[in-house]
Amino acid sequence: MAEAVRSDEVMQRGRVRLVLVVALLVLSASAFHALVDYDPDAGIRNAVEGVEGWLFHPTGRSPGLIFGVAALLFFGRRWLFIAAVEHSRPSVVLGLAFSIPGAALHSWGHYVGGPDILVLSLILLIFAAAAFVGGPGAMRVILLPALFLLLAIPPPAVLINQIVYPLQLLTAESATFFLNLIGMDALQNGDRILRPGVEFLVIEGCSGLRSAETLLMATIVYIEVFRCRGPRLWILLLSAPLVSYLVNQVRVISIVLNPFSRVSEVHTIQGIIVLVGGVIVIAGLDRLLVRWLGEYGRARSNWADWRGASFSSLPLRPLYLLLGIAAALFMASLLVPVWQPDARIGRTLSDVPMVIHGWVSTPVEVDTQFLGSVDFTERTRRRYRAPEGEGSFELFVGIDEHMQRNFSLISDKTQSLDAGWVVLSRREVVLEPDRQRAELMVVGSMRDRRLVLHWYEGVAAIGQEVIRSLLALDRGPLRRDRRSTVVRISTRIEEDADLPQAEDLIFGFLPSIREAIGALEENRWNRDLRDKLAAPRTDLAARGRDPSGQPDPL
């Protein structure tokens, strides 16, 4: 009889705690309601549609899938979590260490309109909840599902730009090598692969970055399902990027060799096939590891032994504390105001002078396919021709208002602007009078060469830009006063003997171009300045060669 009473009491305590857990989950979901329509790719230009974009966009991810998988990972560990609570002591210190920054990021994410920051807050608060109810033991159990949510946070665009383009070049180089290895004539030209009578452009979607993320997700799920531990776990995790690179090579080569490769559905099918192939390779590697490592690669604990745990094991006070925290976060999500930017002073790039010292300009199309995820709040590209003679130069200006965090103008792609160009030489120069650092480069393609002067203004070091983007510091009181700007001036050259004249041409126009850009930024642009910059100068002789005959960018 006594045992039956105790059993009823245990069941009653379990029901009470189960109700509290359900209430906690409901309140927490309400506090993070902004994640319901979370789209990390919102606003990205040229986003690929359909399944292809869902799986293989270079900077995209699928938050619904990631949240669902993380929930399943935790569901599979729920009894292990409760058992860990039974054998661990709650830690208020660890709980506060994670909950305070988590709550701060929650409010900041709502204030700046950054749902990705809410994901980071959610991860910290999950660790805090585990610490409050079960201390370090419960935190270890929750580690994998919580960290899996990091895959829903897009890396800062400035960081992606430093990775994707080198990956494109590496992919083009290695694919060209393998094509020649199997007897298929191919030649690399920057991010292009040239074969007899046809050219293929290795776009960002073929860089392999997104497929690497997808295969990493699949590998983590595989590790959890088959309970890989110890060396087996780490070998599989570290192998995922290499396997992804190899299967992406197969994908690129199949696109080059496929006569129907220009059909987008073919790309989708090939992408899915190589992803499945990557999982098969990981599974095959795992079979080899099981034979090699034996018991060292198997789970050391029998999870079935912990299925006897019940919700009655959960401590009651921490659950009430977590309910209070969740309620406070829900109220904060409703009451925290959304930051609104002040109006910028700078003029738009439509005011870039169309005539500079008698040289009249015409617009030049920007190769958005080549630029990919490199984007601008506003951009202009113009070709200026000498009033007499064949001289000409090109001016590109791009600005970033720091309003959209999912793109950045900091990229080596702004040095060439078109596909198929490589940097042949470069040196640093200092522009007076403000000691602005710039790069003077010779870039070349299969058909042509250009002398390029390239620099950024209002741009911090890469590390600072990453932090500013990650925490949305430009969407609040720490917002920068000025816009970021990239400027590129270029002219064609035929041979090395033309370099001095080409430099004279670029540096001859440089003061006027910088004066115009500065006036636009500081809102000093007016008709008098326009007329001053348009007035002819006799010291600017026509030099260089007219680039109007160059092929249009792909």
Side-chain angles (χ1 to χ4, degrees):
M1 185 68 177
E3 292 181 359
V5 171
R6 283 196 298 270
S7 177
D8 290 340
E9 291 178 353
V10 170
M11 291 180 64
Q12 183 65 25
R13 288 199 301 269
R15 291 192 190 99
V16 171
R17 284 158 175 78
L18 179 58
V19 170
L20 290 176
V21 169
V22 172
L24 176 62
L25 292 176
V26 171
L27 265 178
S28 301
S30 301
F32 288 90
H33 62 86
L35 293 177
V36 172
D37 57 350
Y38 172 43
D39 181 10
D41 296 334
I44 293 181
R45 185 194 61 230
N46 289 340
V48 185
E49 301 294 337
V51 177
E52 177 76 1
W54 184 63
L55 289 176
F56 297 107
H57 192 278
T59 56
R61 56 213 61 247
S62 307
L65 176 65
I66 294 170
F67 292 148
V69 172
L72 288 175
L73 290 175
F74 175 72
F75 184 78
R77 291 175 167 229
R78 64 193 186 283
W79 300 119
L80 181 61
F81 178 80
I82 295 174
V85 171
E86 289 183 346
H87 297 87
S88 301
R89 297 183 60 182
S91 175
V92 176
V93 174
L94 279 176
L96 292 175
F98 281 92
S99 61
I100 292 175
L105 285 175
H106 178 270
S107 296
W108 179 255
H110 279 286
Y111 176 65
V112 300
D116 55 321
I117 298 177
L118 293 180
V119 177
L120 185 58
S121 165
L122 177 61
I123 294 171
L124 293 177
L125 290 171
I126 287 174
F127 280 123
F132 278 130
V133 299
M139 293 177 70
R140 282 193 295 270
V141 175
I142 207 72
L143 182 66
L144 178 64
L147 292 185
F148 192 83
L149 292 174
L150 287 174
L151 294 171
I153 302 176
V158 61
L159 186 59
I160 290 293
N161 288 352
Q162 309 309 305
I163 298 173
V164 169
Y165 190 43
L167 273 179
Q168 289 176 253
L169 297 177
L170 179 61
T171 299
E173 180 180 2
S174 54
T176 302
F177 170 79
F178 286 122
L179 284 168
N180 286 297
L181 190 65
I182 61 177
M184 300 290 182
D185 292 335
L187 180 65
Q188 180 197 4
N189 177 216
D191 54 346
R192 287 179 176 176
I193 299 175
L194 310 178
R195 295 199 67 237
V198 65
E199 295 182 358
F200 295 88
L201 179 62
V202 179
I203 61 174
E204 290 185 348
C206 294
S207 67
L209 180 60
R210 184 65 186 106
S211 57
E213 295 178 354
T214 307
L215 186 60
L216 178 61
M217 288 173 53
T219 303
I220 292 174
V221 173
Y222 180 93
I223 288 172
E224 181 71 358
V225 170
F226 292 97
R227 297 191 293 168
C228 307
R229 296 295 180 266
R232 181 181 167 199
L233 180 152
W234 292 108
I235 292 174
L236 290 178
L237 276 181
L238 296 176
S239 299
L242 177 59
V243 172
S244 172
Y245 173 77
L246 293 176
V247 297
N248 186 64
Q249 287 295 303
V250 175
R251 182 191 185 205
V252 172
I253 292 173
S254 67
I255 290 175
V256 172
L257 298 179
N258 192 334
F260 302 102
S261 60
R262 295 187 180 274
V263 180
S264 59
E265 288 79 6
V266 174
H267 287 242
T268 301
I269 295 172
Q270 289 171 319
I272 294 174
I273 290 175
V274 297
L275 176 59
V276 173
V279 175
I280 293 174
V281 172
I282 290 292
L285 175 62
D286 184 43
R287 294 303 94 193
L288 295 176
L289 291 176
V290 170
R291 292 185 179 183
W292 177 42
L293 296 173
E295 294 299 322
Y296 290 101
R298 300 183 185 275
R300 296 182 180 178
S301 302
N302 185 3
W303 290 17
D305 294 342
W306 289 320
R307 292 185 182 273
S310 69
F311 281 97
S312 61
S313 304
L314 297 176
L316 198 58
R317 289 184 180 179
L319 287 179
Y320 284 121
L321 174 61
L322 292 174
L323 276 173
I325 293 175
L329 292 175
F330 173 60
M331 294 302 298
S333 70
L334 299 178
L335 300 178
V336 171
V338 178
W339 174 79
Q340 297 295 332
D342 296 329
R344 284 293 194 185
I345 297 178
R347 299 284 293 268
T348 68
L349 291 183
S350 61
D351 290 323
V352 167
M354 290 184 287
V355 180
I356 300 181
H357 302 311
W359 292 48
V360 181
S361 67
T362 54
V364 179
E365 184 178 357
V366 176
D367 188 354
T368 56
Q369 185 183 45
F370 167 70
L371 288 176
S373 56
V374 180
D375 209 347
F376 316 87
T377 303
E378 198 176 359
R379 64 174 186 247
T380 185
R381 184 179 183 181
R382 307 193 68 83
R383 180 178 296 127
Y384 293 81
R385 304 180 189 275
E388 296 179 0
E390 298 182 348
S392 70
F393 70 92
E394 225 180 63
L395 171 65
F396 174 83
V397 183
I399 60 172
D400 182 6
E401 294 272 8
H402 309 298
M403 292 297 298
Q404 294 290 337
R405 297 167 53 228
N406 49 16
F407 68 76
S408 170
L409 54 70
I410 305 175
S411 171
D412 287 347
K413 291 185 179 182
T414 58
Q415 298 172 358
S416 60
L417 295 179
D418 300 319
W421 292 80
V422 295
V423 177
L424 302 177
S425 66
R426 71 171 76 221
R427 76 173 192 266
E428 187 177 280
V429 295
V430 178
L431 309 182
E432 300 295 349
D434 56 351
R435 308 294 295 174
Q436 171 68 51
R437 294 184 179 275
E439 284 189 308
L440 189 64
M441 297 170 284
V442 175
V443 299
S445 69
M446 298 291 292
R447 306 180 182 94
D448 207 352
R449 286 199 302 167
R450 297 175 186 170
L451 180 67
V452 175
L453 182 64
H454 175 274
W455 75 92
Y456 296 102
E457 296 183 8
V459 170
I462 295 297
Q464 296 180 37
E465 291 286 347
V466 167
I467 293 174
R468 297 194 71 88
S469 175
L470 187 65
L471 298 178
L473 298 184
D474 282 308
R475 295 184 58 84
L478 299 178
R479 180 167 168 78
R480 282 175 277 193
D481 294 331
R482 63 178 301 185
R483 306 177 290 188
S484 293
T485 306
V486 58
V487 186
R488 177 185 180 273
I489 310 173
S490 66
T491 187
R492 292 185 79 189
I493 54 176
E494 292 189 36
E495 52 190 22
D496 292 342
D498 295 333
L499 283 174
Q501 290 184 333
E503 286 190 29
D504 289 344
L505 175 63
I506 289 178
F507 285 99
F509 281 98
L510 180 62
S512 299
I513 292 173
R514 296 203 68 197
E515 184 176 4
I517 294 173
L520 293 175
E521 178 66 28
E522 300 166 10
N523 204 28
R524 293 185 288 103
W525 183 258
N526 53 51
R527 180 176 297 179
D528 292 339
L529 179 58
R530 183 193 65 187
D531 294 341
K532 170 192 169 184
L533 295 178
R537 279 171 47 186
T538 57
D539 59 329
L540 292 173
R543 301 180 180 93
R545 199 176 100 203
D546 190 344
S548 59
Q550 68 181 15
D552 291 333
L554 297 181

